[in-house]
Amino acid sequence: MKNTMNWNFDNSYSRLSNSFKEHIEPVAVKNPELVLINDDLAKELNLDFSKNDKNELADLFSGNILPEGSNSIAQAYAGHQFGHFTMLGDGRAVLIGEHLTKNKERYDVQFKGSGKTAFSRNGDGRAALGPMLREYIISEAMHNLNIPTTRSLAVAKTGENIMRDTPLQGAILTRVASSHVRVGTFQYVAARNKKDELQILLDYVVKRHYPELINSKNKALELLKALIYKQIDLVIDWMRVGFIHGVMNTDNMTISGETIDYGPCAFMDIYDPKTVFSSIDKMGRYAYCNQPAITKWNLSRFAECLIPLIDEDEDKAVKSATELIDTFGKKYEEKWLNMMRNKLGLLGVDNKDKFLIVDLLTWMHQNKIDYTNTFCHLMDLKDYDDELYKDNNFQNWKKNWQERLKLNNNTPESYIKLMRTVNPLVIPRNHNIEDSLEKANDGNLKPFNKLLEILKKPYVQQENISDYLKMDSSSKEYKTFCGT
Ligand code: AMP
Ligand code: MG
C-alpha cells in the first residue's frame, strides 16, 4: 500500500532472532469494513488517514493490505494463567511493526483478531466485534483517566462470522502500545534456558523502555526495581478508579507498565473489595482487593526469570531479588495511603489518616454505596446527592474528615482542586457499556460513540449525562467473559 498516511516503521523487535517470534502476515478476510477510527490518536501518532477512502482504510485495518515498511510477526511469550505456567504467544494477533512519531517516540502497532499463527494452539485466531469494541472503549477511557494503557486506533469488521456459543461477527482491533513485551516474554525465554537470549531481551527492554539504566552495574536488578515501582503505580491507579482487570496473568503484565488486554475487565460500582466480574474467576484470584498481591506475585515470577542475569552465584542473586520483592508491601501501602489522601483532599500526613480512610471504605462496603459517586458527593457536586449520604454514620465520619481537612493550611479551594484531579466524575459503567455494545452489534454506533465522547472528559462536569452516573440495579449479578 502506498504510504500517503505517514507510516514511519522501524521494526526493532523483528530484527531479534527468530526464537522471539514467528514471521507471519495477517490472514486475509473476506469482506472488510471499517467500524471506527480514532482520529485523536492518529493525530498524536502523526498519522494521516484523510487521503484514503473507506475501502482503503478497511483493507488496511483488516490486515488485507499491509502498509509500506511493516514487517509483521507473532511474538512468542509464556505466562502463568491463573497460576499455571503455559507456553503461549500471539495466537490471534500480529505486530505489524513499530511506528516512529515525529518526536521519535516508538509505538507497536498490532492487529488483534488477525488469524491463526504458530501460537494459536486450538484457537481460530479470530476475535468478535463486541469484545474488540469493548477493548477499544475501555482502553480509551483508561487513557483519559490518566492511567498508563495500550490505546486503540481502529476496529474493522472482517465480514466473516466466527463460531463461539453462537455465530458472532468477526472483527480486528488495531492496538497501539509502547511495546508488547510482557513478563511472559521473559518467562518464555527463561523457560528455554538460554542465558544469551535472556541477556538480549534484557538489553532490548532496557534500551527501549528504561534507557536511564543502560549504564547501571546490575541492569537486571535495576530493571526489577524499576518495574516494581511502575507496577505499583499502575495498580494504585486501578484501585483509585475502581478498575478490575479481571485476568492478571503474567502474560498480561507489560514491562512498560501499561495496562494491557481488556478481556473480562470492568469497573466496580458498589464498593466491595471482593468484587469479581469475570465468569471464569471462580476463586476470586483477580478480585479488586487481590490486585496488589497479584501484582507482587507476578513481579516475583519476573524476578525468577532474571536470576541468571543478576549474579553468577545463584544464592546471591536470589537474595538480592528477594530483598527487592520484599519492599513491595511497604511501598504499596505508602503510595496507596497517599492516593487515598488525594482522593479525600488531605494535605500532609496525620497518624489517624489510615483509620479515616478505612472507616469511609467500611461504611461504603456495609451500606452498598457507589465508590465513584461517594467521592463526587464529597466534592459537593450536584447530580451526586443521595438519601444514602444522610446516614448518621456517614455524617459522623464527614465531621472527622472536615476536622482533618483543616490541617496544614488546607483551604476548600485547594482540597477541591486536588480531589478533582484524582476522582473521576464518570467511569465506564457496566450497563452503559453493555447497552452500547449491544446496539453496536446491530449496526447502531450512536450510543457507543456518545459514551466514548463522555468518557473523554472524566474529570470535567458535563451537562445532561445523568444516565451515565448511576449504577445498574442488577450490578451485583454482572458477569464478564474472556474476549475470545
Ligand atoms: P488472552 O486471554 O487474550 O490474554 O489470551 C491468552 C492466550 O490465548 C494468548 O496466547 C492468545 O493469543 C490466545 N488466544 C486467545 N484467543 C484465541 C483465539 N481465538 N485463537 C487463538 N489463540 C487465542
Ligand atoms: Mg493476553
Side-chain angles (χ1 to χ4, degrees):
M1 183 178 276
K2 234 180 119 218
N3 192 358
T4 56
M5 303 170 181
N6 297 339
W7 288 109
N8 182 18
F9 285 108
D10 173 54
N11 307 317
S12 63
Y13 206 89
S14 300
R15 293 195 287 269
L16 297 180
S17 82
N18 280 343
S19 11
F20 294 94
K21 85 278 174 173
E22 178 210 16
H23 283 266
I24 185 168
E25 296 203 344
V27 179
V29 305
K30 222 190 259 160
N31 200 5
E33 187 188 326
L34 186 68
V35 180
L36 275 171
I37 187 158
N38 189 338
D39 292 320
D40 294 343
L41 178 58
K43 238 186 234 145
E44 285 176 43
L45 296 172
N46 311 125
L47 290 169
D48 177 9
F49 300 116
S50 64
K51 296 182 193 74
N52 300 87
D53 66 26
K54 272 212 138 191
N55 290 335
E56 284 175 313
L57 294 179
D59 276 337
L60 170 71
F61 288 115
S62 62
N64 274 9
I65 301 180
L66 286 174
E68 217 174 271
S70 97
N71 182 1
S72 62
I73 56 171
Q75 290 178 305
Y77 54 85
H80 275 92
Q81 301 188 301
F82 289 90
H84 302 284
F85 185 75
T86 321
M87 294 304 240
L88 298 160
D90 288 330
R92 55 162 169 172
V94 292
L95 174 64
I96 66 162
E98 295 157 35
H99 169 72
L100 299 182
T101 65
K102 282 184 187 145
N103 298 332
K104 298 285 174 248
E105 284 154 355
R106 181 179 294 272
Y107 291 99
D108 273 12
V109 180
Q110 193 204 57
F111 290 154
K112 183 168 174 179
S114 54
K116 281 188 193 169
T117 72
F119 309 108
S120 295
R121 295 172 293 163
N122 297 322
D124 60 359
R126 294 296 184 192
L129 179 61
M132 293 307 99
L133 288 175
R134 199 162 189 283
E135 170 151 350
Y136 186 108
I137 198 165
I138 299 188
S139 64
E140 287 303 301
M142 291 287 272
H143 171 73
N144 293 316
L145 285 162
N146 302 328
I147 300 177
T149 176
T150 62
R151 304 279 309 268
S152 297
L153 182 61
V155 173
K157 286 199 279 191
T158 60
E160 296 168 9
N161 276 346
I162 62 171
M163 270 318 289
R164 297 296 182 260
D165 289 341
T166 52
L168 298 172
Q169 300 179 74
I172 294 170
L173 171 78
T174 304
R175 178 157 77 181
V176 174
S178 71
S179 93
H180 285 82
V181 181
R182 310 141 191 266
V183 166
T185 315
F186 278 84
Q187 288 183 293
Y188 178 86
V189 179
R192 288 151 44 97
N193 270 324
K194 299 246 170 78
K195 191 175 164 187
D196 53 334
E197 287 181 0
L198 204 54
Q199 185 69 52
I200 289 168
L201 185 62
L202 172 69
D203 292 342
Y204 178 86
V205 157
V206 166
K207 186 168 171 223
R208 185 160 174 184
H209 294 297
Y210 300 90
E212 66 280 10
L213 304 181
I214 283 181
N215 294 319
S216 52
K217 271 202 194 111
N218 194 326
K219 260 198 250 183
L221 210 53
E222 290 299 321
L223 176 65
L224 175 60
K225 194 171 168 188
L227 193 62
I228 292 173
Y229 274 112
K230 272 260 162 80
Q231 290 292 344
I232 287 179
D233 286 342
L234 184 64
V235 74
I236 283 184
D237 265 338
W238 296 355
M239 304 307 271
R240 171 170 66 83
V241 300
F243 175 76
I244 301 166
H245 183 282
V247 58
M248 288 176 70
N249 297 334
T250 52
D251 50 303
N252 292 336
M253 181 186 261
T254 58
I255 302 298
S256 67
E258 289 177 344
T259 312
I260 195 172
D261 254 15
Y262 293 85
C265 64
F267 282 70
M268 171 175 74
D269 34 33
I270 291 170
Y271 181 77
D272 181 348
K274 294 212 162 67
T275 306
V276 177
F277 292 116
S278 169
S279 58
I280 55 167
D281 192 0
K282 302 273 186 248
M283 308 293 283
R285 179 179 169 91
Y286 300 136
Y288 175 75
C289 64
N290 286 348
Q291 297 188 124
I294 288 292
T295 300
K296 181 180 173 189
W297 193 89
N298 288 350
L299 288 164
S300 308
R301 303 292 75 75
F302 181 57
E304 283 163 5
C305 298
L306 296 175
I307 294 298
L309 302 182
I310 291 177
D311 203 300
E312 295 273 314
D313 179 337
E314 192 178 304
D315 292 341
K316 264 197 195 159
V318 170
K319 189 166 172 279
S320 309
T322 309
E323 276 169 14
L324 275 184
I325 293 289
D326 285 345
T327 62
F328 184 98
K330 194 159 167 270
K331 272 189 207 140
Y332 175 81
E333 165 98 6
E334 255 171 45
K335 290 198 167 194
W336 179 82
L337 273 173
N338 282 336
M339 176 275 285
M340 291 304 293
R341 283 190 186 100
N342 292 343
K343 278 179 84 69
L344 290 172
L346 308 178
L347 293 188
V349 173
D350 183 77
N351 57 16
K352 294 195 290 292
D353 286 348
K354 190 168 173 186
F355 297 104
L356 188 74
I357 292 162
V358 171
D359 280 353
L360 175 65
L361 295 175
T362 308
W363 177 80
M364 278 191 242
H365 185 196
Q366 286 174 347
N367 295 279
K368 301 188 169 48
I369 310 289
D370 190 88
Y371 179 67
T372 303
N373 289 358
T374 299
F375 293 96
C376 295
H377 174 80
L378 292 175
M379 294 188 291
D380 268 339
L381 294 168
K382 70 172 173 58
D383 287 335
Y384 301 91
D385 224 8
D386 198 303
E387 286 295 305
L388 295 165
Y389 298 117
K390 294 199 171 118
D391 179 76
N392 270 342
N393 290 329
F394 180 72
Q395 289 300 325
N396 287 336
W397 176 86
K398 212 168 168 181
K399 278 186 200 126
N400 293 334
W401 173 59
Q402 279 157 344
E403 277 307 306
R404 168 63 177 90
L405 274 176
K406 290 177 189 158
L407 297 186
N408 304 315
N409 301 321
N410 210 344
T411 61
E413 292 80 58
S414 57
Y415 69 71
I416 293 287
K417 196 171 162 206
L418 174 60
M419 293 172 82
R420 288 290 297 268
T421 60
V422 290
N423 293 314
L425 314 190
V426 59
I427 51 162
R429 294 208 174 255
N430 302 327
H431 61 106
N432 296 127
I433 292 279
E434 289 308 317
D435 180 55
S436 74
L437 291 182
E438 202 182 301
K439 303 221 164 83
N441 234 334
D442 295 337
N444 173 13
L445 276 165
K446 256 194 177 166
F448 183 91
N449 282 324
K450 182 167 181 203
L451 182 56
L452 198 60
E453 237 5 78
I454 291 170
L455 294 172
K456 276 188 184 163
K457 291 175 281 188
Y459 299 108
V460 175
Q461 249 188 314
Q462 302 177 60
E463 294 297 322
N464 303 322
I465 61 162
S466 56
D467 288 350
Y468 298 86
L469 308 179
K470 291 187 205 97
M471 62 181 168
D472 186 18
S473 50
S474 61
S475 159
K476 264 277 159 206
E477 290 88 52
Y478 184 65
K479 280 276 161 273
T480 55
F481 300 88
C482 267
T484 45

